[in-house]
Amino acid sequence: MNLNNQKRTFQMKLRPLYLLIVACFCLFNGKLSAQNYQPSPENLEARAWFQDARFGLFVHWGVYSILGDGEWVMNNQNISVEEYEKLPSFFNPIDFDAKEWVAMVKEAGMKYITITSRHHDGFSMFDTQMTDYDIVDRTPYGKDVLKALAEECRKQGIKLFFYYSLLDWNRDDYFPRGRTGNGIQGRGEGKWEDYIAFMKGQLKELLTNYGEIGGIWFDGHWDQNEWDGKTFGDVKLDWHYDEIYGMIHKMQPQALIGNNHHIGIIEGEDFQMFEKDLPGKNTTGWGTPADQIGSVPLEVCQTINGSWGFNLQDRKHKTDKELIHYLIKAAGYGSNLLLNVGPMPNGKIQPKHKASLKTMGAWLKDHGDTIYGTQKGPIPPNDDFVSTQKGKSVFVHLLNPNVKVIHADEVPVRIKGIYDMKTNTKLPYRNDGFGLAIDVSKIDKDAIDTIIRIELR
Ligand code: GLC
């Protein structure tokens, strides 16, 4: 063996050791590099739970609710920092009752709540030591509403997630500033690294003081992207996601991370969210393209009217039918629905919204089997019908009562029988090279949803 060969053999023997050292270095050099993210068993279990849950309540609540003009009011009305900082002194939600909120959520058939801990206005709705610009220090109410909610959620078996804004219109250290809030007077210029440290400190508190949480729902990433009306450009600075995500996963392995950045998932994220659009759709202009949908659980967030935060003049309340259809469609796209309400400044949910949630809950009581714990079905969704599946049952939700024959491409499954779920009547069908056709012309259609069950072999 010549010297070169000897050297090569030696190198080959050492190669596995070398790779191991490199892998260890990547894992333990402080940063949990995104590329190395392996969800823990607790995290995978939480993902499975989340995927089965299918329905949650989104809550946008902050001092902005006083002005009754949505959560972007500071930006939209160009309210200066000094002026906006007067708002907390008027915020006194004496009618807030966590028990009532959680009971409402349960009755709606929802399994979790995602609430704004701090929105873009920078005001913290929880007791934080990282700033005194928070509900405990600055409002006459003086109590931590997230604490009350966390305790009640635990009692009633509902999971709690925290929405957390990455962007901030109040703090000087949110600098360089992003695309929004530039008409707000009184914003200073601080250091980005201080801002990152502030966020990490707050997130640590959210992960320490509220027991086991469902996860963190980030928003505002897009503030630092160029936006040409169609696409987001490159992000301009470092959000330190590797450290932030790594910290969350280390502190609470079961906590799921999602980020409303409208792009494909960044490693370290556990679910993917879609804002006001079903996965792959783009009616808003910022919908995530279909080819960027990952293999993690999905969640669509949607408003119950047209606003996230309380908006006094919003009359675009969705009808009960529209809301139930959205829930069904989301499930047909393999996604959860996170349906939003904006509580009023007194802490109450608008009666109209409460009534809609109740109706949805009643519908789910009867038909929840075809929604909870399902996956998207084998028949691709369209405006007239969507399908969900649980084991050997496929549920076709017929949303358009005028359809006489359900047509789709041939479904690559072996069918035992097809039934109208309400009457258990067997329906004529064919499923061959010409496609799938189910004759629903003879059955009574429901105005909201006629459910057809396909039994598979
Ligand atoms: C957008 C809005 C924000 C809202 C969020 C909910 O990102 O900026 O106000 O909280 O959507 O999805």
Side-chain angles (χ1 to χ4, degrees):
M1 199 184 274
N2 68 26
L3 204 65
N4 264 346
N5 277 347
Q6 265 181 7
K7 214 167 130 192
R8 214 170 295 137
T9 316
F10 183 64
Q11 278 176 346
M12 276 167 64
K13 276 190 187 148
L14 281 186
R15 205 174 145 74
L17 187 66
Y18 169 71
L19 288 177
L20 190 72
I21 292 169
V22 170
C24 289
F25 179 75
C26 292
L27 263 174
F28 298 115
N29 74 343
K31 292 180 183 180
L32 183 69
S33 159
Q35 251 54 28
N36 293 318
Y37 178 51
Q38 289 292 339
S40 63
E42 295 94 321
N43 191 280
L44 292 173
E45 204 181 303
R47 288 184 189 193
W49 174 88
F50 183 75
Q51 198 152 27
D52 286 349
R54 281 294 175 249
F55 194 24
L57 182 75
F58 208 178
V59 180
H60 275 71
W61 199 30
V63 293
Y64 44 77
S65 65
I66 297 167
L67 299 176
D69 194 14
E71 77 290 354
W72 271 65
V73 60
M74 187 181 190
N75 170 87
N76 296 353
Q77 294 188 22
N78 287 326
I79 303 174
S80 73
V81 168
E82 197 193 339
E83 288 159 350
Y84 197 91
E85 285 195 358
K86 292 179 182 153
L87 280 180
S89 62
F90 315 136
F91 189 70
N92 195 13
I94 47 169
D95 293 329
F96 166 66
D97 182 349
K99 196 168 165 188
E100 204 178 294
W101 279 23
V102 181
M104 173 193 80
V105 160
K106 288 198 84 160
E107 203 186 350
M110 293 163 153
K111 308 292 183 197
Y112 62 100
I113 300 176
T114 304
I115 186 167
T116 45
S117 60
R118 175 174 138 276
H119 206 270
H120 311 334
D121 65 353
F123 188 76
S124 298
M125 291 292 279
F126 62 103
D127 188 14
T128 172
Q129 305 311 311
M130 300 302 296
T131 169
D132 69 352
Y133 195 45
D134 70 63
I135 190 163
V136 174
D137 293 317
R138 291 281 184 101
T139 73
Y141 188 66
K143 284 180 274 184
D144 183 338
V145 288
L146 298 195
K147 191 86 194 225
L149 199 58
E151 275 160 18
E152 203 48 52
C153 279
R154 198 156 312 116
K155 273 192 210 149
Q156 298 197 43
I158 290 291
K159 286 206 186 186
L160 185 62
F161 290 64
F162 295 131
Y163 168 108
Y164 191 81
S165 176
L166 293 159
L167 92 90
D168 191 300
W169 294 322
N170 179 275
R171 294 181 64 86
D172 293 350
D173 53 14
Y174 181 71
F175 190 84
R177 293 178 205 133
R179 287 186 281 117
T180 66
N182 287 309
I184 296 168
Q185 298 294 307
R187 296 176 77 188
E189 299 185 1
K191 277 190 14 227
W192 183 250
E193 298 310 316
D194 292 346
Y195 183 65
I196 297 293
F198 163 76
M199 287 203 295
K200 279 164 93 177
Q202 282 211 317
L203 287 162
K204 250 186 209 153
E205 293 175 329
L206 290 171
L207 291 156
T208 309
N209 301 336
Y210 302 87
E212 212 174 82
I213 64 164
I216 304 284
W217 206 105
F218 287 104
D219 188 25
H221 167 101
W222 35 260
D223 194 44
Q224 295 289 344
N225 287 81
E226 299 296 348
W227 167 248
D228 65 7
K230 280 203 201 88
T231 48
F232 293 106
D234 290 338
V235 76
K236 287 188 284 185
L237 40 74
D238 184 3
W239 286 107
H240 295 252
Y241 287 140
D242 45 2
E243 291 158 48
I244 292 176
Y245 290 0
M247 181 186 90
I248 296 171
H249 285 136
K250 202 166 158 203
M251 289 184 73
Q252 292 209 16
Q254 86 299 334
L256 302 178
I257 298 174
N259 192 330
N260 188 31
H261 43 44
H262 307 294
I263 51 177
I265 52 161
I266 297 173
E267 284 218 41
E269 293 168 5
D270 303 303
F271 66 104
Q272 187 170 13
M273 52 186 66
F274 303 83
E275 184 184 333
K276 287 178 150 279
D277 251 322
L278 293 162
K281 294 247 180 189
N282 188 5
T283 60
T284 51
W286 60 69
T288 312
D291 62 0
Q292 287 182 32
I293 300 179
S295 53
V296 291
L298 312 179
E299 181 194 67
V300 173
C301 59
Q302 184 55 281
T303 50
I304 200 161
N305 48 6
S307 322
W308 299 106
F310 175 56
N311 187 330
L312 188 63
Q313 298 184 75
D314 185 336
R315 294 163 201 149
K316 295 191 207 121
H317 309 281
K318 295 185 177 68
T319 62
D320 293 347
K321 181 175 167 174
E322 282 173 318
L323 292 170
I324 295 171
H325 275 191
Y326 212 81
L327 172 68
I328 298 168
K329 282 188 182 169
Y333 278 79
S335 168
N336 289 6
L337 172 61
L338 184 65
L339 182 62
N340 180 80
V341 295
M344 299 184 285
N346 64 354
K348 290 279 180 217
I349 313 285
Q350 297 189 60
K352 197 171 177 52
H353 297 166
K354 274 176 86 169
S356 290
L357 295 180
K358 199 170 172 173
T359 309
M360 294 181 87
W363 186 87
L364 274 165
K365 243 196 192 113
D366 292 338
H367 309 291
D369 267 3
T370 67
I371 302 289
Y372 300 122
T374 61
Q375 302 170 324
K376 80 173 170 204
I379 303 168
N382 62 34
D383 286 343
D384 290 338
F385 51 84
V386 302
S387 69
T388 57
Q389 178 168 3
K390 198 188 274 173
K392 294 208 162 188
S393 301
V394 171
F395 306 103
V396 184
H397 295 265
L398 183 56
L399 307 176
N400 177 357
N402 300 321
V403 169
K404 294 197 168 56
V405 181
I406 294 174
H407 278 295
D409 284 344
E410 182 181 5
V411 188
V413 291
R414 292 180 59 216
I415 297 174
K416 215 172 176 181
I418 301 190
Y419 308 85
D420 169 25
M421 261 188 92
K422 197 166 166 191
T423 56
N424 224 17
T425 321
K426 219 168 174 180
L427 300 174
Y429 73 92
R430 58 188 285 179
N431 184 37
D432 53 29
F434 294 104
L436 169 76
I438 308 170
D439 181 357
V440 289
S441 61
K442 305 263 171 358
I443 57 170
D444 263 355
K445 309 283 187 346
D446 189 273
I448 292 188
D449 182 20
T450 306
I451 311 176
I452 312 295
R453 195 181 78 243
I454 305 180
E455 276 311 314
L456 304 180
R457 276 183 204 284

